[in-house]
Amino acid sequence: MFSLVRFARRIMLWSTAATVRSIQVLPMVPSDWKTWADERQNTILQAERWGWTQEAVTTLLDVHGYQIFNQGLFNADPHPGNILVVHDEKNPTKPKIGLIDYGQVKRLKPDERVRVAKLILSIADKESDQAIADHFRNLGIKTKTDSTRFLAEFGRLMFGSFEAKHLDHSWHKELHKEDRVLYFPNELSMVYRTALLLRGLAMSLQFNPSVGEEWRHHAQEAIKQHSGVENE
């Protein structure tokens, strides 16, 4: 649903920008055509920036995924106020990104990174409820009834793409009737906060990424790099 709406808006934007460009290069056009094009001049820049915006969202997710799984030291507060869009005079249609205020930093030990990575991969690879729930349990989460379905749906909600059912209050109500969290692991809480803030920013810009899929390669690298440390 979200991807179709985004695609339709993108097509409309590109179509308008292309029409404006065409009118501007024609030697003789009716005055009302020129007025229409002049009023929509900004659509050309918007169309150019659209691709950069998606690239920026992907880059932000990539950078924080690298911090979490490769460095084990990451900023858990990447809200929009801590992200700068820096104008580049040499390339005005492609600004640079600046990250500031690393005042809420979390450190993960190698074994913690591996456990989080396995949960992320199970969601990115759309594994079964049982597999996702087991990786969640290995992180130490405790719920009232230890429901496999609850843990799997909760994991997908945290690190998957946003789905239409997630907007349905009754879905959340039924899920929490089935089970509820008693203890949430510390090593996962700040990772989740990071994912939540970045996905919220992406959604506000009309993108709906799966955090799990965006972090997949970093999670795979963490497991490869630290294999054997999980149970030490």
Side-chain angles (χ1 to χ4, degrees):
M1 179 183 72
F2 296 103
S3 59
L4 287 175
V5 172
R6 184 172 68 249
F7 180 74
R9 289 176 176 173
R10 186 180 301 185
I11 292 298
M12 184 177 296
L13 179 62
W14 284 343
S15 175
T16 302
T19 305
V20 169
R21 282 195 180 100
S22 298
I23 292 174
Q24 288 176 338
V25 299
L26 290 174
M28 295 183 63
V29 296
S31 60
D32 56 337
W33 286 24
K34 187 176 185 307
T35 299
W36 181 90
D38 290 343
E39 290 173 349
R40 290 159 179 80
Q41 174 66 30
N42 285 339
T43 60
I44 296 176
L45 183 58
Q46 289 172 3
E48 292 172 344
R49 286 283 179 89
W50 187 287
W52 176 85
T53 302
Q54 185 170 14
E55 181 182 339
V57 169
T58 300
T59 299
L60 286 169
L61 285 162
D62 185 52
V63 166
H64 287 82
Y66 177 83
Q67 291 176 6
I68 291 167
F69 295 106
N70 186 285
Q71 301 296 300
L73 185 67
F74 63 97
N75 177 25
D77 194 30
H79 61 77
N82 286 341
I83 300 168
L84 304 180
V85 177
V86 184
H87 179 70
D88 185 352
E89 292 183 357
K90 295 181 180 179
N91 192 356
T93 64
K94 194 172 183 180
K96 296 179 179 180
I97 298 174
L99 302 176
I100 63 172
D101 192 6
Y102 276 57
Q104 195 169 145
V105 170
K106 172 69 176 174
R107 186 185 297 275
L108 294 178
K109 295 182 292 186
D111 61 309
E112 293 172 336
R113 282 181 248 170
V114 169
R115 285 194 288 269
V116 174
K118 288 183 176 180
L119 174 62
I120 291 294
L121 281 179
S122 68
I123 294 165
D125 293 339
K126 297 178 173 58
E127 294 184 9
S128 66
D129 285 6
Q130 187 67 54
I132 295 173
D134 284 346
H135 289 307
F136 225 149
R137 292 183 182 109
N138 288 339
L139 279 159
I141 193 170
K142 302 296 181 185
T143 66
K144 187 175 181 180
T145 67
D146 195 32
S147 165
T148 291
R149 191 184 82 88
F150 174 86
L151 288 170
E153 290 288 5
F154 191 23
R156 295 184 185 107
L157 175 63
M158 290 169 60
F159 297 114
S161 296
F162 204 68
E163 300 179 28
K165 66 183 180 183
H166 297 152
L167 296 173
D168 185 353
H169 177 69
S170 63
W171 180 85
H172 291 271
K173 190 175 180 179
E174 288 301 315
L175 186 65
H176 285 86
K177 276 185 181 180
E178 183 173 335
D179 203 352
R180 63 186 179 88
V181 176
L182 300 178
Y183 171 76
F184 195 85
N186 292 329
E187 61 266 34
L188 189 60
S189 61
M190 299 304 271
V191 175
Y192 176 41
R193 173 183 169 80
T194 302
L196 184 67
L197 287 169
L198 291 174
R199 188 172 67 172
L201 174 61
M203 292 294 293
S204 72
L205 295 171
Q206 300 176 19
F207 298 106
N208 183 25
S210 164
V211 176
E213 292 178 14
E214 295 293 336
W215 285 354
R216 176 192 276 117
H217 61 292
H218 293 302
Q220 289 171 332
E221 185 61 31
I223 293 171
K224 178 181 178 181
Q225 183 179 357
H226 301 293
S227 59
V229 304
E230 187 177 0
N231 297 317
E232 292 181 0

